[in-house]
Amino acid sequence: SSDVCSSDLNDKFLCEFCLIKKSKIKFERMKNFKLLNNVFGWVAFAIAAATYLMTMEPTASFWDCGEFISSAYKLDVGHPPGAPFFMLTGRFFSLFASDPTQVALMVNALSALASAFTILFLFWTITHLARKVIVKNDNEYTTANIKIGRAHV
């Protein structure tokens, strides 16, 4: 299988060396992609968290917000379906309030951070799906693998 190697020699040792070298390059590319994907994901989280935390309501606003804040603080059941996970995490965040007037701020901070985590996981989901669409195999990391209809770009 001399067509696997880039050299013209048919030496079996050199072919195996080429395969090992190519697999190391493939591993390094994958490692770099994962590192960049994680770094940019956390950067997106930090930007979203800063934006949400700077623009959040410091008190209870209209509609269901006040009900959810008070239900989380007292660990009551809000209107159906009740959102039990939000109530439990809201109660945990409300424990960090210095006095009861700060509970709304802490529960709203929970909502801001939960939204920022949503952005983080959305970024990772998009990059995972885009990588599956763009990259045919792990050796090629080019946009030439994108298919539009039946034609390759």
Side-chain angles (χ1 to χ4, degrees):
S1 64
S2 63
D3 57 340
V4 176
C5 295
S6 60
S7 66
D8 293 335
L9 299 175
N10 287 329
D11 190 16
K12 190 174 184 175
F13 176 75
L14 287 177
C15 287
E16 288 177 6
F17 178 74
C18 279
L19 288 174
I20 292 171
K21 187 175 179 181
K22 286 180 183 180
S23 67
K24 285 183 180 180
I25 292 171
K26 177 180 160 184
F27 176 73
E28 287 297 320
R29 284 183 185 169
M30 178 60 85
K31 200 165 105 177
N32 288 339
F33 172 78
K34 286 183 179 181
L35 176 70
L36 288 175
N37 192 36
N38 285 336
V39 167
F40 283 118
W42 285 108
V43 167
F45 168 80
I47 291 170
T51 303
Y52 288 139
L53 288 171
M54 287 189 299
T55 59
M56 74 178 180
E57 185 79 27
T59 60
S61 53
F62 292 116
W63 304 107
D64 292 340
C65 299
E67 178 187 357
F68 278 109
I69 290 169
S70 63
S71 295
Y73 180 60
K74 297 289 186 179
L75 272 184
D76 290 337
V77 177
H79 68 276
F85 182 72
F86 182 83
M87 297 303 162
L88 289 173
T89 52
R91 176 62 181 158
F92 177 73
F93 270 69
S94 70
L95 294 174
F96 296 108
S98 57
D99 59 18
T101 61
Q102 298 296 312
V103 170
L105 179 71
M106 299 310 286
V107 175
N108 287 337
L110 157 72
S111 295
L113 292 175
S115 297
F117 273 111
T118 302
I119 298 295
L120 171 71
F121 292 126
L122 179 66
F123 177 85
W124 284 341
T125 302
I126 290 170
T127 56
H128 178 76
L129 293 176
R131 188 166 172 265
K132 290 216 179 269
V133 169
I134 291 174
V135 178
K136 283 185 186 176
N137 58 26
D138 289 334
N139 292 330
E140 300 177 18
Y141 285 103
T142 63
T143 56
N145 293 328
I146 300 174
K147 291 183 180 179
I148 299 176
R150 293 180 181 222
H152 292 281
V153 176

